[in-house]
Amino acid sequence: MSRPSSLHDVLVDRIGRMVVTGTFGSLGALPREDELAKTFSVSRTVIREVTKTLRALGLVTTGPRVGSRVQPIATWRLLDPQVMAWITDADMANGFERDLLEIRSMVEPAAAAFAAERGADPQIEAVMAALGAMTNSPDISSHEAADLRFH
């Protein structure tokens, strides 16, 4: 996964990692907007936008007079690449990775067959090239990049 480039992306990454690692507690409250704004030296508007993104990823919920609260992992968008990276980096992935691989083994063969039947030659060639790159990857980073192209 590439490094975040915009201020918004950097803050989504930092606060998202804090949520995943339990910095705010398993179902705890995030600090208030003004506290987060001060901590990260940004405006409350930036924090609101970051919170919207985290809410879209299922990590937090917001409400009047309760602020932002961490959601249970069952509500997280676990197949989102960013959420997956946070979980993996937080060392939470033991059973999750196994479950994800099982799901992939059920879904991907059917998806590949569908793509092969309906894809144009250049699309099929691109998928085959990505598969070859995954198979021959010298390290995890190049494997992940090829896996992303494959999908």
Side-chain angles (χ1 to χ4, degrees):
M1 171 152 200
S2 64
R3 305 291 292 163
S5 56
S6 71
L7 177 61
H8 173 267
D9 292 345
V10 168
L11 288 176
V12 167
D13 186 69
R14 288 192 57 198
I15 297 172
R17 286 178 187 280
M18 293 170 80
V19 169
V20 169
T21 58
T23 300
F24 306 115
S26 61
L27 295 176
L30 272 64
R32 292 187 341 236
E33 281 181 3
D34 57 337
E35 293 170 9
L36 286 171
K38 184 176 180 180
T39 299
F40 294 106
S41 300
V42 296
S43 70
R44 289 175 59 188
T45 302
V46 171
I47 295 299
R48 274 189 218 110
E49 291 303 314
V50 168
T51 303
K52 284 181 187 177
T53 301
L54 295 174
R55 193 172 62 225
L57 292 171
L59 272 67
V60 300
T61 186
T62 59
R65 293 187 293 237
V66 295
S68 298
R69 299 195 65 79
V70 176
Q71 289 289 91
I73 194 169
T75 68
W76 298 358
R77 287 185 45 201
L78 297 175
L79 296 179
D80 181 277
Q82 194 168 28
V83 175
M84 287 174 57
W86 295 334
I87 289 170
T88 301
D89 291 348
D91 229 7
M92 295 173 60
N94 50 11
F96 170 72
E97 284 180 340
R98 182 194 67 242
D99 294 346
L100 179 62
L101 290 173
E102 287 176 359
I103 290 170
R104 285 179 69 172
S105 70
M106 290 184 278
V107 173
E108 286 184 359
F114 184 80
E117 291 172 2
R118 293 172 176 77
D121 287 341
Q123 294 167 322
I124 294 170
E125 290 169 14
V127 168
M128 294 304 294
L131 179 60
M134 283 172 43
T135 303
N136 299 314
S137 295
D139 55 50
I140 190 70
S141 178
S142 57
H143 178 83
E144 289 174 348
D147 189 38
L148 185 61
R149 287 193 310 275
F150 179 79
H151 291 94

